[in-house]
Amino acid sequence: MKLYTSTRAPNPRRVDIFLAEKGIEVPRVEIDIMKQEHKAPDFIARNPMMRVPVLELDDGTHIAESIAICRYFEELQPAPPLFGVDMLDRALVEMWQRRMELDLMVPVAMAFRHTHPAMAELETPQVAEWGEVNKPRIFTMLDWLDGELADRPFIAGQRYTVADITALVAIDFMRPVRLGVPESCTNVLRWYADVSGRPSAGA
Amino acid sequence: MKLYTSTRAPNPRRVDIFLAEKGIEVPRVEIDIMKQEHKAPDFIARNPMMRVPVLELDDGTHIAESIAICRYFEELQPAPPLFGVDMLDRALVEMWQRRMELDLMVPVAMAFRHTHPAMAELETPQVAEWGEVNKPRIFTMLDWLDGELADRPFIAGQRYTVADITALVAIDFMRPVRLGVPESCTNVLRWYADVSGRPSAGA
């Protein structure tokens, strides 16, 4: 098994944190996105979507998409459970993971990809207006999330799950766009300090 | 159990097809998006993301997000399996479902939401340039998918899965943007005729 990945990029980091929570180590092959190594023929053969990370199994099968890779490891090693503990919990974790991805991480990514000068060669064309439209959506989401976190420790309930991983990575990804969690979002900030303090956050 | 949904909208249709494939019937409450009923206080209480569908359980719990709802029904009634049959297959179905959603359905949705006059009041602001940027991406994806479908019957392999449902709904959603599958994509068209011919496609 081998993980083709890029240290520090947001989606790879989701898998890194997930693996750290599980205590799983996987041999890594570093792909340099700024050098466009993800667009080289040998990488495209592994993932035609040209995105990291990709998990290569010993039989040559490739699993792309961070959340698909995480689900594979969840089944390979169920403890600790990060996708929920029973039928209803698993549905709710999926709901929260998707909300954190589609309504927080995606707007942050759109703001970054479409307004940051470093992305000019990778995101073609950059649509600056689209990047700007997404910025206030991040804060609308954080304000709402703040109310949700008033009466529970983690995004999807009483346990740390993959939804916390996505939300943590999304919020850290606000830094390159020079945005941050407003001081008024005290519950988000409490949750953020908590999940950032876990050893896995350094992964 | 009650499904708050909007007949004909793309995400609700994913759940409708999924339920039809399972042979499950759920009482429905119709939400009129054009009348902005999804932004009314009683609906927001069910799903603060203001999106259909939402599944209301008998104990008052709400499951939002189409794929989370589908996963709940997959566990409630495993046959026929639509999310994969073993650990590796489930990871690959997740990979393909995400590719069909993020790289096909989302670009179609962006083209629709940001260029269609009917969306002017719902998508604010419309960023026409962003809508246009997404159109060629749909065709890049379809061309690539055509090669993938050359040697297998369904999106994720030998079985019909939730990835086929997402792809079918995405392709039908091209119509309001006046786009269609190019004639050169013979494998996609063969697959499309096949999945469109299943009774569930009428759901």
Side-chain angles (χ1 to χ4, degrees):
Chain A
M1 202 184 276
K2 236 186 256 182
L3 188 65
Y4 290 79
T5 192
S6 298
T7 304
R8 283 184 300 274
N11 278 309
R13 191 169 169 234
R14 289 208 277 177
V15 174
D16 291 344
I17 296 174
F18 190 92
L19 291 173
E21 288 283 339
K22 294 269 187 191
I24 298 173
E25 290 197 18
V26 180
R28 304 163 66 89
V29 179
E30 189 74 18
I31 301 294
D32 190 328
I33 295 175
M34 297 316 285
K35 286 186 185 159
Q36 309 225 14
E37 287 179 1
H38 60 301
K39 295 183 180 176
D42 59 339
F43 187 80
I44 292 178
R46 295 191 168 89
N47 183 13
M49 300 292 101
M50 299 182 276
R51 284 196 292 251
V52 282
V54 180
L55 182 68
E56 185 172 86
L57 304 183
D58 293 342
D59 71 355
T61 305
H62 291 99
I63 305 173
E65 289 295 330
S66 301
I67 293 297
I69 294 170
C70 290
R71 283 190 182 280
Y72 183 75
F73 284 113
E74 178 85 352
E75 290 210 46
L76 198 64
Q77 185 193 301
L82 296 173
F83 277 95
V85 296
D86 59 33
M87 184 170 76
L88 176 58
D89 193 41
R90 278 188 287 272
L92 294 174
V93 170
E94 172 77 330
M95 173 181 83
W96 281 104
Q97 140 57 28
R98 288 178 61 90
R99 283 175 169 174
M100 291 306 105
E101 181 169 315
L102 301 174
D103 296 288
L104 188 60
M105 193 168 174
V106 167
V108 174
M110 292 297 105
F112 176 70
R113 299 185 70 93
H114 289 278
T115 67
H116 199 288
M119 292 302 290
E121 282 178 34
L122 287 168
E123 184 70 37
T124 50
Q126 283 187 308
V127 181
E129 185 188 356
W130 175 241
E132 294 300 333
V133 159
N134 274 276
K135 290 182 184 176
R137 293 181 186 176
I138 299 165
F139 295 103
T140 302
M141 188 64 181
L142 289 174
D143 278 340
W144 171 73
L145 192 59
D146 196 62
E148 290 290 316
L149 287 172
D151 59 3
R152 63 177 188 262
F154 297 110
I155 301 283
Q158 299 304 313
R159 287 179 202 84
Y160 180 93
T161 69
V162 67
D164 295 287
I165 295 176
T166 297
L168 167 63
V169 169
I171 286 174
D172 282 342
F173 193 21
M174 291 170 71
R175 260 180 240 154
V177 207
R178 301 190 183 186
L179 301 174
V181 179
E183 284 185 25
S184 59
C185 291
T186 53
N187 297 311
V188 172
L189 288 169
R190 179 212 74 221
W191 161 87
Y192 178 75
D194 189 14
V195 294
S196 297
R198 297 168 78 97
S200 65
Chain B
M1 201 184 275
K2 236 187 255 182
L3 188 64
Y4 290 78
T5 193
S6 298
T7 304
R8 283 185 301 276
N11 277 310
R13 191 170 169 233
R14 290 208 275 176
V15 174
D16 291 344
I17 296 175
F18 190 92
L19 292 173
E21 288 283 339
K22 295 269 187 190
I24 298 173
E25 290 196 17
V26 180
R28 305 163 65 88
V29 179
E30 190 73 17
I31 301 295
D32 191 329
I33 295 175
M34 298 315 285
K35 286 188 186 159
Q36 309 227 15
E37 287 178 0
H38 59 303
K39 295 184 179 174
D42 59 340
F43 187 80
I44 291 177
R46 294 190 167 90
N47 183 12
M49 301 291 102
M50 296 181 276
R51 285 195 292 252
V52 281
V54 180
L55 183 67
E56 185 172 86
L57 304 184
D58 293 341
D59 71 354
T61 305
H62 291 98
I63 305 173
E65 289 296 327
S66 302
I67 293 297
I69 295 170
C70 290
R71 284 191 182 278
Y72 183 76
F73 283 114
E74 179 86 351
E75 289 210 48
L76 198 64
Q77 185 193 300
L82 297 173
F83 277 96
V85 296
D86 59 32
M87 183 170 75
L88 177 57
D89 193 40
R90 278 189 286 272
L92 294 174
V93 169
E94 171 79 329
M95 174 181 80
W96 282 104
Q97 139 57 27
R98 288 178 62 90
R99 283 176 170 173
M100 293 305 106
E101 181 170 312
L102 301 174
D103 296 288
L104 188 60
M105 192 167 174
V106 167
V108 175
M110 291 298 104
F112 176 70
R113 299 186 69 93
H114 289 278
T115 68
H116 199 289
M119 292 301 292
E121 282 179 33
L122 287 168
E123 184 70 38
T124 49
Q126 283 187 308
V127 181
E129 186 188 355
W130 175 241
E132 293 301 332
V133 159
N134 275 276
K135 290 182 183 175
R137 294 180 185 177
I138 299 166
F139 296 104
T140 301
M141 188 64 183
L142 289 173
D143 278 342
W144 171 72
L145 192 59
D146 196 62
E148 290 290 316
L149 287 172
D151 59 3
R152 62 177 189 262
F154 296 110
I155 301 283
Q158 299 304 312
R159 287 179 203 85
Y160 181 94
T161 68
V162 67
D164 295 286
I165 295 175
T166 297
L168 168 62
V169 169
I171 286 173
D172 282 342
F173 193 23
M174 291 170 70
R175 260 179 240 153
V177 207
R178 301 191 183 185
L179 301 174
V181 178
E183 284 184 24
S184 59
C185 292
T186 53
N187 298 311
V188 172
L189 288 169
R190 179 214 73 224
W191 161 87
Y192 178 73
D194 191 12
V195 295
S196 297
R198 297 168 78 96
S200 64

